[in-house]
Amino acid sequence: MATLPYWRLSGFYLFYFALLGATAPFLALYFHHLGFSSARIGELVAIPMLMRCVAPNLWGWLGDYTGQRLLIVRLGALCTLLSFALIFVSQSYAWLALVMALHAFFWHAVLPQFEVITFAHLRDQPERYSQIRLWGSIGFILTVVILGRLFEWLSLDIYPVALIVVMAGIVLCSLWVPNAQPSSQGRAPTAGGFLKQLRSPGVLAFYACVALMQMSHGPYYTFLTLHLEDLGYSRGVIGLLWALGVVAEVLMFLAMRRILLTFSVRRVLMFSFALAALRWLLLGSFAEHLWVLLLAQVLHAATFGSFHASAMTFVQRSFGPGQQGQGQALYATLAGIGGAAGALYAGYSWNTLGPTITFSMASVAALAAAVIIATRLQEDRP
């Protein structure tokens, strides 16, 4: 492990998730600033998630077929930057919808292939993944805090420029990362290909729960910032609250190596889904109380940190070297389907049903995932 390019891999995650930190809390706010209704905001936010249903599978198959995963990462990062720059041409609904779809087609090509490269570098120590991935969370934190303060001082009109700067960082970091291919050493041959592995016990149930988990995040990623503004919180405080959630995520990533060596993936996933159900109830019904809001944000350690690290471990264990790209792509696809469904239902229900019921529906989705994992996924030895 002395040759592990730790900082090169970590630097890429830092900038990649800095872009998520620039979009998740502020994209809906920017569309609101442009004057769009909540329904149109939900649709615009859902478009990149819908594109996530298509793009990762195409790029995942291409990565497994050609083995040129790093080339896909680099081209995807560059094309993301170039296509998003079209936002400066017009800010009409139709044009923004096009920009959201086009840049997302390339953006969603990047991460699944890079995850395969990361695990290829880690080889026989996949539990160290969280030690690298935590830098993505740090990038998210830095971006949320900086932009939260920046938008208090300056107009949201500078928002597209901020995103272009972060995208340029992703491009540069992709050029710094060395390539690696998944190794079949120590793994049994996988006969029957990707579809046979997909039909292994519990695998389809796992992917269904990925969709449910992301669907439950729909109100959170689409309307949390607007929800907290309506409750009287300032943009600077809201940025700090988003950052608090990711600080908790970072601490969880630091602990995940020991957790996954102690507890089964099944148990960690059940724990994550159950706490997600609690978190959405707190945000929907009690967010006006600061201490409850702080607790809800700390629970991000479970709803993303432990969930994502254990999910990546499950995918890595479930597919052979020749199917890793497709396994990661399917994860991204199901997450995209769930995320798009969540953004759409949140957009349509926010004004008609209100935040409490909207978040309660998210809680039901997370609870359903916990039940499915408990009943359909086989216990694995840590």
Side-chain angles (χ1 to χ4, degrees):
M1 294 301 291
T3 59
L4 177 68
Y6 179 85
W7 291 111
R8 298 187 188 191
L9 295 171
S10 300
F12 182 89
Y13 280 110
L14 186 145
F15 274 96
Y16 185 91
F17 285 95
L19 183 57
L20 184 60
T23 53
F26 302 116
L27 186 61
L29 189 64
Y30 177 67
F31 292 145
H32 183 265
H33 171 72
L34 295 179
F36 293 109
S37 67
S38 59
R40 298 292 84 77
I41 291 172
E43 291 165 1
L44 287 170
V45 172
I47 287 172
M49 299 178 185
L50 287 171
M51 191 57 65
R52 194 176 178 182
C53 305
V54 178
N57 287 306
L58 171 61
W59 296 112
W61 173 84
L62 190 62
D64 285 339
Y65 182 76
T66 65
Q68 298 296 318
R69 295 185 177 89
L70 187 57
L71 178 61
I72 291 174
V73 168
R74 290 169 175 170
L75 288 176
L78 178 60
C79 292
T80 298
L81 170 63
L82 295 176
S83 56
F84 186 80
L86 296 173
I87 199 172
F88 297 107
V89 175
S90 173
Q91 293 178 336
S92 68
Y93 174 80
W95 187 258
L96 288 174
L98 175 64
V99 171
M100 290 296 102
L102 189 59
H103 96 276
F105 178 77
F106 296 108
W107 188 27
H108 293 315
V110 172
L111 187 60
Q113 301 308 306
F114 195 81
E115 300 277 30
V116 177
I117 294 169
T118 298
F119 277 106
H121 280 293
L122 290 170
R123 295 193 181 276
D124 60 344
Q125 296 191 48
E127 67 276 1
R128 289 195 64 189
Y129 166 80
S130 58
Q131 298 174 351
I132 297 173
R133 172 58 182 80
L134 68 87
W135 285 98
S137 304
I138 292 173
F140 187 103
I141 293 169
L142 292 174
T143 307
V144 166
V145 173
I146 292 171
L147 291 185
R149 291 297 184 185
L150 187 64
F151 295 148
E152 282 191 333
W153 301 331
L154 301 173
S155 168
L156 274 165
D157 291 332
I158 68 165
Y159 179 69
V161 176
L163 264 62
I164 289 292
V165 171
V166 178
M167 290 175 181
I170 298 174
V171 174
L172 293 176
C173 284
S174 72
L175 300 175
W176 192 35
V177 174
N179 199 11
Q181 296 292 343
S183 172
S184 59
Q185 182 178 0
R187 301 190 63 151
T190 55
F194 176 73
L195 291 179
K196 183 174 181 180
Q197 290 173 266
L198 189 61
R199 292 193 296 269
S200 300
V203 175
L204 289 176
F206 163 78
Y207 279 113
C209 290
V210 168
L212 286 170
M213 185 62 142
Q214 294 306 315
M215 185 173 75
S216 79
H217 280 73
Y220 178 73
Y221 284 127
T222 309
F223 290 112
L224 179 67
T225 299
L226 294 174
H227 180 44
L228 297 182
E229 276 199 334
D230 290 341
L231 292 175
Y233 295 97
S234 69
R235 289 178 182 173
V237 170
I238 292 171
L240 291 174
L241 287 166
W242 277 91
L244 172 64
V246 188
V247 169
E249 171 190 316
V250 170
L251 296 177
M252 179 58 75
F253 276 136
L254 289 172
M256 279 308 297
R257 181 176 184 272
R258 178 167 294 183
I259 289 173
L260 289 174
L261 290 173
T262 306
F263 300 99
S264 67
V265 169
R266 175 178 175 267
R267 292 190 178 187
V268 176
L269 288 172
M270 288 171 53
F271 173 82
S272 303
F273 292 136
L275 288 182
L278 173 62
R279 186 187 186 197
W280 308 140
L281 288 177
L282 294 177
L283 286 177
S285 302
F286 305 105
E288 67 273 16
H289 304 292
L290 182 59
W291 70 271
V292 176
L293 185 56
L294 293 173
L295 173 61
Q297 287 304 90
V298 169
L299 289 177
H300 194 72
T303 61
F304 184 82
S306 61
F307 165 73
H308 182 71
S310 55
M312 289 296 97
T313 301
F314 182 88
V315 172
Q316 192 269 340
R317 291 177 182 176
S318 299
F319 296 96
Q323 293 84 36
Q324 285 285 310
Q326 294 171 82
Q328 292 287 353
L330 185 60
Y331 176 87
T333 296
L334 269 296
I337 292 172
L344 286 172
Y345 96 74
Y348 293 128
S349 70
W350 192 257
N351 286 337
T352 56
L353 301 178
T356 299
I357 295 180
T358 302
F359 272 108
S360 295
M361 294 165 66
S363 181
V364 170
L367 189 60
V371 172
I372 292 172
I373 286 295
T375 57
R376 302 299 298 172
L377 198 65
Q378 293 182 348
E379 191 74 26
D380 58 299
R381 291 185 177 182

